[in-house]
Amino acid sequence: MDNLKEKAFQDKIDQDTRIEPKDWMPENYRKALIRQISQHAHSEIVGMLPEGNWVTRAPNLRRKVALLAKVQDEAGHGLYLYAAAETLGVSRDDLIDQLHTGKAKYSSIFNYPTISWADMGTIGWLVDGAAIMNQVPLCRCSYGPYARAMVRVCKEESFHQRQGYEILLTLSRGTEAQKQMLQDSVNRWWWPSLMMFGPSDSDSPHSAQSMAWKIKRFSNDELRQRFVDACVDQARILGVTLPDPDLKWNEERGHYDFGEIDWDEFWQVVKGHGPCNKDRIETRVKAYEDGAWVREAATAYAEKQAKRKEKVA
Amino acid sequence: MKDWPLYEVFIRSKAGLHHRHVGSLHAADDTMAIEHARDVYCRRNEGVSIWVVKSDDIVANDPAESDALFNPAENKVYRHPTFYDLPDNVKHM
């Protein structure tokens, strides 16, 4: 019976019919989606922290309102995605718990520190740029609620990248010290940004199945290559050097060749030994616990109002 | 803490259009659901009107039974204008 169902399910996917929450789906499809969507949601939530660091220190009001709006968008993106994950039968509470106990992963990029104002620009340009490259194909993902959430996310993400690039453009036209700050920031963020696409196809355990289920549309290496190709000209306009001596145009392939990624560093950060892993989760848990009284008060108020209504009726 | 009830959010993007389902959110009560819907789904003037309804209050058909529900409409081609043959010289119809 399940074999028949599974075949009908795969036929639907092959015909590009979207899967909706109440439709039958293989348990592993459900699990894979919960893992991916919740990791994605957690990344948006933790992704607010490196930038939160600079909200009070933005150089002027224009930069400050933009940064605040961006951080608020990221909270929103986390909420769209949690809601999409919940359509698969997990509770919000469990998802948050998995993040706080370290059971669930989030994007490793947010375990790097933001030590200069230029990092706000570089995160917008490279980190959000890489995220967009990953996210645009997800708008056509086979699971309806995830795809729809991604359409909203992608619409808003483009502002993030442009505001970051504008910060860097301003620095690139500034003093020598500002130009140095820009170059230093790009030096630190370039390689971790390339790691955002995940391990090479041959080392990516879930990739093949995700492609067959059309959760994923392009391979990690394919998207990484597109990102490198897009960044080279953007770097030139900023007048920065991308920190890779092997980066050069390959006429035959029609793409830029680039150097080997330090996968040891990647796995170290994934496993929790990055510069800020501990700090990020501690900050997150503290924020959640400090907010507990607000949630409790809102619950109590809602109950009181409901009782009052009952009495009147 | 136990999750707050789940609400489905419907937004009318401008006068003259239908409300359209945009997603869902948790809230302690109806008022907070509207406020959260504004913050989560209308940060860029996406709406002029918001409906929220508790997800539990939505009645839906069973997808496993959807063939029996929708198939009867499939073989009724005579309900479409193209079913009727008219000569080319009949205009405005």
Side-chain angles (χ1 to χ4, degrees), chain A residues 223-264:
Chain A
L223 292 171
R224 188 166 15 241
Q225 179 71 61
R226 278 192 209 173
F227 177 69
V228 172
D229 290 347
C231 284
V232 172
D233 270 342
Q234 295 166 355
R236 198 170 296 139
I237 293 167
L238 290 175
V240 285
T241 310
L242 296 172
D244 179 358
D246 297 324
L247 185 71
K248 60 170 185 294
W249 179 249
N250 183 325
E251 191 65 51
E252 213 172 290
R253 291 200 310 125
H255 291 290
Y256 282 91
D257 288 337
F258 55 98
E260 185 63 29
I261 289 169
D262 181 352
W263 292 113
D264 286 342

Side-chain angles (χ1 to χ4, degrees), chain A residues 22-23 72-73 76-77 79-80 83 86 91-93 152 156 159-160 295-296 298-299 301-302 309, chain B residues 1-4 6 21-26 28-30 32 39-44 46 60 63:
Chain A
K22 297 256 165 72
D23 296 344
Q72 195 187 13
D73 274 355
H77 297 175
L79 294 177
Y80 307 154
E86 287 172 80
S91 77
R92 175 78 57 95
D93 212 32
R152 303 187 70 86
E156 298 177 357
F159 134 64
H160 298 184
R295 295 191 296 277
E296 282 158 20
T299 308
Y301 178 76
K309 235 190 213 166
Chain B
M1 198 184 94
K2 214 176 130 279
D3 285 333
W4 283 332
L6 191 67
H21 182 246
V22 293
S24 44
L25 50 79
H26 292 277
D29 57 26
D30 298 354
M32 188 197 269
D39 289 346
V40 178
Y41 294 105
C42 299
R43 288 193 301 280
R44 292 179 174 80
E46 286 97 335

Side-chain angles (χ1 to χ4, degrees), chain A residues 17-305:
Chain A
T17 303
R18 295 286 185 269
I19 308 299
E20 294 295 340
K22 297 256 165 72
D23 296 344
W24 185 89
M25 61 185 85
E27 253 337 275
N28 285 337
Y29 177 80
R30 186 184 300 276
K31 272 191 204 149
L33 274 171
I34 291 176
R35 197 195 59 241
Q36 181 169 335
I37 301 173
S38 64
Q39 273 183 18
H40 199 158
H42 298 329
S43 301
E44 297 283 355
I45 299 300
V46 177
M48 290 190 278
L49 302 176
E51 292 170 321
N53 186 32
W54 284 93
V55 170
T56 54
R57 280 173 277 173
N60 58 45
L61 192 57
R62 183 176 183 275
R63 297 290 186 215
K64 187 169 177 165
V65 289
L67 191 57
L68 266 173
K70 179 175 192 276
V71 170
Q72 195 187 13
D73 274 355
E74 278 150 12
H77 297 175
L79 294 177
Y80 307 154
L81 288 161
Y82 281 132
E86 287 172 80
T87 62
L88 292 157
V90 282
S91 77
R92 175 78 57 95
D93 212 32
D94 284 344
L95 293 174
I96 305 255
D97 197 54
Q98 285 167 10
L99 172 66
H100 290 179
T101 54
K103 230 178 101 187
K105 299 258 182 292
Y106 54 87
S107 181
S108 277
I109 194 79
F110 303 118
N111 290 317
Y112 290 87
T114 46
I115 58 179
S116 75
W117 169 251
D119 290 355
M120 293 305 96
T122 313
I123 286 181
W125 174 39
L126 295 179
V127 176
D128 291 312
I132 291 169
M133 208 55 99
N134 269 326
Q135 286 169 346
V136 168
L138 287 173
C139 297
R140 294 189 299 123
C141 155
S142 61
Y143 188 58
Y146 191 25
R148 292 192 287 274
M150 290 321 298
V151 170
R152 303 187 70 86
V153 169
C154 287
K155 264 189 204 158
E156 298 177 357
E157 201 78 43
S158 146
F159 134 64
H160 298 184
Q161 194 184 19
R162 291 174 67 109
Q163 71 88 36
Y165 196 77
E166 196 201 75
I167 290 173
L168 299 183
L169 264 179
T170 306
L171 291 175
S172 76
R173 293 163 186 161
T175 63
E176 207 42 51
Q178 285 172 318
K179 286 178 192 164
Q180 263 175 30
M181 185 181 11
L182 162 61
Q183 182 64 57
D184 164 72
S185 177
V186 171
N187 288 349
R188 282 179 292 108
W189 290 94
W190 173 250
W191 289 105
S193 299
L194 293 192
M195 294 177 197
M196 283 178 69
F197 295 92
S200 234
D201 299 335
S202 50
D203 298 317
S204 179
H206 307 294
S207 269
Q209 182 61 76
S210 278
M211 301 272 273
W213 279 333
K214 295 192 184 167
I215 296 176
K216 231 173 137 156
R217 295 271 179 171
F218 301 99
S219 79
N220 294 352
D221 287 332
E222 206 175 341
L223 292 171
R224 188 166 15 241
Q225 179 71 61
R226 278 192 209 173
F227 177 69
V228 172
D229 290 347
C231 284
V232 172
D233 270 342
Q234 295 166 355
R236 198 170 296 139
I237 293 167
L238 290 175
V240 285
T241 310
L242 296 172
D244 179 358
D246 297 324
L247 185 71
K248 60 170 185 294
W249 179 249
N250 183 325
E251 191 65 51
E252 213 172 290
R253 291 200 310 125
H255 291 290
Y256 282 91
D257 288 337
F258 55 98
E260 185 63 29
I261 289 169
D262 181 352
W263 292 113
D264 286 342
E265 176 183 325
F266 173 77
W267 290 113
Q268 279 298 311
V269 184
V270 169
K271 285 177 184 145
H273 311 300
C276 302
N277 296 56
K278 204 167 150 273
D279 181 62
R280 296 290 184 239
I281 290 300
E282 275 172 12
T283 308
R284 190 55 232 141
V285 172
K286 185 175 181 304
Y288 189 74
E289 285 171 356
D290 288 352
W293 70 271
V294 179
R295 295 191 296 277
E296 282 158 20
T299 308
Y301 178 76
E303 281 166 7
K304 197 168 132 192
Q305 291 295 318

